[in-house]
Amino acid sequence: MTESLAFKADLHCHSTASDGVLAPVEVAARAHANGVTLWSLTDHDEIRGIPQAREAARSLGMQFVSGIEISVSWAEHTLHVVGLNIDIENRRLNQGLEQIRRDRETRAHLMADKLAELGIAGTYEGALSYAGNPNLLSRTHFARYLVEQGYCKSMQDVFDRYLADGKPAYVAGQWAGLDEALDWIHDAGGIAVIAHPGRYKYSRREFTTLFRTFKLMGGKGIEVVTGSHTPDQYHQYANVARQYGFLASCGSDFHSPKESRMDLGRLPPMPSDLVPVWKAFN
């Protein structure tokens, strides 16, 4: 990948193909307007936005790599693994993602049932009205509906009261195993990256096991600078990258101009001694 003095990468964001509010072309335009020169769209368990994103990036003069964020079950929690520089036509990847999307549909109905038991009816249809992709309904879509209807004051309030792990309407996803997700990414010629590790509720021992296992399975990268991390966590996971020899990735995790903690292209620079993930792109 070509770098210059104005080089700026954003390798984690979402569109209406999953739980973002902007279409892929609009995300591309926003990234370009904010100075991004290397961009990846990484929708949850879905690659249907990639062709539009690639074409928009090309027309704007941005370098583009195809991406995905795969939902994984590991150590009784949900873990997200980003795949970068993937072949979106890969059969094994697409078959795996299709199974996850079917499980998401089942999960969405179960969450709606739980919310109905709590006295909040019609949430499946309500959440669906916020979904640009009806085949990929997520907790974020439910949260947007509950805020719009006045049940909660904010998206975070929805998760704190109803949808976070352990809350009354939470339903655990039937996601891919870590070995499966990495196998799909590698079969598609991609690079596997642990997304926003600072968000996970693992113990120190579990994190150590995760990093070692990920490395042994061929995982190459870890997100260091991301909109989901605090500045202290930038330093924490930079040290993890150094310790385990991970490539360092960065991304805003942008979903919406109003909801996201960080806008596209507004990431601070990564520590200069880390090897960035894009050095491994063909």
Side-chain angles (χ1 to χ4, degrees):
M1 289 291 169
T2 304
E3 292 186 43
S4 67
L5 293 176
F7 182 83
K8 185 184 291 188
D10 196 318
L11 302 176
H12 186 160
C13 63
H14 301 274
S15 75
T16 50
S18 64
D19 59 349
V21 302
L22 301 180
V25 171
E26 295 174 306
V27 182
R30 192 177 186 94
H32 180 259
N34 288 348
V36 174
T37 53
L38 172 61
W39 176 55
S40 183
L41 181 67
T42 57
D43 277 311
H44 293 284
D45 307 316
E46 178 63 86
I47 47 84
R48 67 185 293 178
I50 294 295
Q52 297 175 51
R54 182 192 293 118
E55 182 58 33
R58 183 181 295 118
S59 69
L60 292 166
M62 287 191 295
Q63 298 178 74
F64 181 78
V65 290
S66 299
I68 184 73
E69 185 173 13
I70 300 178
S71 304
V72 169
S73 295
W74 193 84
E76 300 183 354
H77 292 287
T78 296
L79 170 74
H80 289 162
V81 175
V82 165
L84 295 172
N85 210 25
I86 55 170
D87 173 12
I88 64 171
E89 303 297 332
N90 181 267
R91 181 179 60 85
R92 292 181 66 189
L93 174 65
N94 279 279
Q95 287 177 340
L97 296 178
E98 177 60 31
Q99 180 59 54
I100 293 177
R101 290 194 293 269
R102 286 196 294 266
D103 292 338
R104 277 185 174 274
E105 173 73 8
T106 300
R107 183 195 191 206
H109 282 290
L110 292 173
M111 285 192 293
D113 290 345
K114 287 195 170 192
L115 287 164
E117 292 172 2
L118 296 168
I120 307 175
T123 57
Y124 180 84
E125 295 76 14
L128 197 61
S129 69
Y130 284 84
N133 178 0
N135 296 318
L136 204 149
L137 206 56
S138 74
R139 289 184 295 171
T140 301
H141 299 117
F142 280 88
R144 288 176 182 146
Y145 175 73
L146 291 176
V147 170
E148 193 271 335
Q149 293 296 309
Y151 289 105
C152 297
K153 295 179 180 179
S154 66
M155 300 281 285
Q156 189 60 51
D157 188 31
V158 176
F159 281 85
D160 290 344
R161 293 174 61 183
Y162 298 112
L163 296 179
D165 191 349
K167 299 303 179 181
Y170 176 77
V171 177
Q174 301 298 312
W175 310 132
L178 184 60
D179 56 339
E180 291 178 304
L182 267 66
D183 192 34
W184 301 341
I185 292 168
H186 294 154
D187 200 67
I191 295 171
V193 176
I194 298 174
H196 41 57
R199 283 178 44 178
Y200 307 127
K201 306 298 184 183
Y202 294 133
S203 67
R204 180 173 296 183
R205 178 177 295 181
E206 287 172 329
F207 268 120
T208 298
T209 301
L210 170 62
F211 298 144
R212 289 176 176 172
T213 302
F214 188 76
K215 184 92 172 180
L216 287 170
M217 288 180 176
K220 299 295 186 184
I222 188 170
E223 285 186 351
V224 173
V225 178
T226 161
S228 295
H229 282 176
T230 65
D232 285 345
Q233 288 173 328
Y234 300 159
H235 299 294
Q236 178 181 351
Y237 292 104
N239 286 331
V240 170
R242 295 181 184 107
Q243 179 179 351
Y244 291 91
F246 287 136
L247 300 172
S249 192
C250 60
S252 57
D253 199 9
F254 176 83
H255 288 73
S256 160
K258 294 182 179 179
E259 297 167 5
S260 297
R261 291 173 55 184
M262 186 174 289
D263 204 349
L264 288 149
R266 299 307 189 210
L267 295 156
M270 288 193 297
S272 59
D273 65 305
L274 300 182
V275 180
V277 68
W278 50 85
K279 293 293 186 182
F281 297 162
N282 295 326

